[in-house]
């Protein structure tokens, strides 16, 4: 006989349902928001041109924003649980600097004449960003000697981030014509997400979420200390490697489509923990739902505030996320709650 859900479980389910409904409402609002303001989606049913705008531009952009936010928030929740550090974010292991270097290298070599190598031209900036993010994480793992030592991983991630970030800055300095494109990538943008990008991110989210939920009990055990986790007979090495793989894949999928969007992966798990104390399984799922709504709301604000122009969505999330963390510190609650 299945035991009745506890009050905490009921609260988690209500928060999840509320977050999904909020995301759906924001998705409908995103489909209605253009450069001239807000219009009714159903008006597009009688206008072929308006229908193409809604179906081919606004809907994939809005859905892609939600998926990217969910991926970053899931990666942030995994990182904070894995490293037992409330300041851990998805870019901790060198994925952001690796993606920047991949984009800078692609723009330097093929930005002027992409036809020089047709297969690389088809790969494009999205593939370069994903490959760079993956390479950054792999380099961190090599420098750390694997996944066994948490502090060595953190230190290796910092070193890789500094080195690869400096390399991308040097490339941009030596190739001034790519500075504008690099700036757009560094500030983050959801304006180029299409249905193909949504499909990639949806598949990545499903896979990473499945891995994270399957290994959530290990994160619960790690919260009690590695000695306790080992005493329970958990294969920490293999499980830690799987979680780092999910973290890297989630971050790479999001960064490849949107560029570097700040603070979503860091703030979303804190927003969840501020509302409910629960185990890592529900927390990771709620973090993904919260992160999706957060980035989609930031994207709507970036589209609306100075229309017909747009703000970089990464700047909006940095202001919102940084302001929230400063508010937490001002209240004296700290970042470990």
């Amino acid at each position: 006989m299945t035991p009745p859900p506890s009050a905490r479980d009921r609260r988690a389910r209500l928060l999840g349902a509320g977050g999904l409904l909020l995301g759906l409402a924001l998705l409908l609002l995103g489909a209605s928001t253009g450069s001239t303001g807000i219009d009714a989606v159903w008006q597009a049913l009688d206008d072929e041109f308006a229908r193409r705008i809604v179906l081919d531009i606004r809907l994939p952009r809005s859905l892609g924003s939600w998926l990217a936010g969910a991926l970053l928030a899931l990666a942030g929740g995994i990182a904070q649980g894995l490293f037992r550090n409330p300041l851990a974010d998805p870019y901790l292991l060198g994925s952001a600097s690796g993606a920047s270097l991949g984009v800078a290298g692609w723009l330097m070599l093929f930005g002027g004449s992409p036809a020089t190598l047709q297969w690389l031209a088809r790969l494009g900036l999205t593939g370069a960003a994903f490959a760079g993010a993956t390479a950054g994480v792999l380099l961190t793992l090599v420098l750390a000697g694997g996944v066994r030592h948490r502090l060595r991983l953190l230190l290796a991630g910092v070193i890789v981030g500094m080195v690869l970030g400096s390399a991308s800055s040097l490339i941009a300095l030596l190739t001034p014509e790519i500075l504008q494109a690099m700036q757009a990538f560094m500030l983050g943008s959801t304006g180029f997400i299409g249905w193909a990008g949504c499909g990639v991110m949806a598949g990545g989210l499903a896979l990473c979420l499945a891995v994270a939920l399957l290994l959530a009990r290990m994160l619960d055990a790690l919260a009690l200390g590695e000695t306790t986790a080992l005493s329970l007979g958990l294969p920490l090495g293999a499980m830690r490697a799987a979680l780092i793989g999910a973290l890297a894949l989630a971050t790479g999928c999001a960064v490849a489509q949107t560029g570097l969007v700040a603070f979503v992966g860091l703030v979303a798990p804190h927003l969840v923990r501020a509302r409910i104390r629960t185990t890592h399984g529900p927390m990771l799922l709620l973090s993904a739902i919260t992160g999706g709504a957060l980035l989609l709301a930031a994207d709507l604000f970036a589209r609306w505030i100075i229309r017909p122009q747009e703000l970089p969505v990464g700047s909006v999330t940095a202001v919102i996320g940084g302001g929230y963390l400063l508010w937490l510190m001002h209240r004296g609650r700290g970042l470990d709650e």
Side-chain angles (χ1 to χ4, degrees):
M1 182 176 179
T2 303
S6 64
R8 186 181 64 182
D9 292 337
R10 290 194 297 270
R11 180 171 172 78
R13 292 174 185 177
L14 286 174
L15 286 174
L20 289 174
L21 288 175
L22 175 61
L24 179 60
L26 291 172
L27 183 64
L28 294 175
L29 184 60
S32 306
T33 303
S35 59
T36 59
I38 298 177
D39 52 53
V41 177
W42 55 82
Q43 291 178 358
L45 297 176
D46 300 324
D47 187 337
E48 177 64 23
F49 180 72
R51 184 159 57 247
R52 293 270 65 85
I53 291 177
V54 171
L55 295 179
D56 296 337
I57 298 177
R58 294 182 186 175
L59 270 179
R61 174 175 183 168
S62 299
L63 179 59
S65 298
W66 191 93
L67 290 169
L71 283 165
L72 290 173
L74 175 63
I78 292 173
Q80 291 174 17
L82 190 60
F83 296 105
R84 304 200 300 276
N85 186 339
L87 292 178
D89 73 350
Y91 305 145
L92 187 65
L93 298 182
S95 56
S97 54
S100 299
L101 182 59
V103 168
W106 193 94
L107 288 172
M108 180 185 70
L109 294 175
F110 307 103
S113 55
T116 52
L117 279 180
Q118 289 298 322
W119 67 271
L120 190 56
R122 286 195 297 268
L123 181 66
L125 291 179
T126 297
F130 184 82
T134 303
V137 174
L138 291 176
L139 180 57
T140 298
L141 294 175
V142 170
L143 289 179
V147 299
R148 295 178 59 188
H149 303 288
R150 177 172 58 95
L151 293 180
R152 288 180 64 179
L153 267 174
L154 291 172
L155 181 59
V158 172
I159 294 172
V160 168
M162 293 178 62
V163 172
L164 298 188
S166 298
S168 61
S169 298
L170 181 61
I171 290 175
L173 182 64
L174 295 175
T175 319
E177 59 268 22
I178 73 171
L179 283 175
Q180 186 174 3
M182 280 299 299
Q183 183 183 44
F185 178 81
M186 297 293 290
L187 292 177
S189 173
T190 59
F192 302 102
I193 300 177
W195 286 116
C198 290
V200 170
M201 288 191 289
L205 179 61
L207 178 59
C208 296
L209 192 57
V211 172
L213 294 179
L214 184 64
L215 299 179
R217 288 177 177 261
M218 190 208 89
L219 293 176
D220 295 335
L222 274 179
L224 303 175
E226 288 200 21
T227 303
T228 302
L230 287 171
S231 69
L232 295 174
L234 295 175
L236 291 187
M239 298 173 85
R240 189 179 281 124
L243 285 170
I244 288 178
L247 189 160
L249 179 60
T251 306
C253 286
V255 167
Q257 300 296 330
T258 65
L260 303 184
V261 177
F263 274 103
V264 172
L266 176 61
V267 169
H270 284 284
L271 288 172
V272 173
R273 285 193 290 266
R275 286 161 176 77
I276 186 172
R277 290 286 189 176
T278 185
T279 56
H280 278 89
M283 192 277 291
L284 292 174
L285 183 58
L286 290 172
S287 293
I289 294 172
T290 302
L294 181 61
L295 183 53
L296 180 50
D299 181 58
L300 288 171
F301 182 81
R303 281 192 256 169
W304 174 79
I305 188 65
I306 58 170
R307 63 185 187 278
Q309 297 179 328
E310 296 183 10
L311 288 174
V313 69
S315 300
V316 176
T317 58
V319 171
I320 295 174
Y324 175 72
L325 294 180
L326 288 174
W327 176 71
L328 280 183
M329 295 178 66
H330 175 70
R331 291 187 60 187
R333 296 178 59 180
L335 298 179
D336 57 343
E337 296 190 11

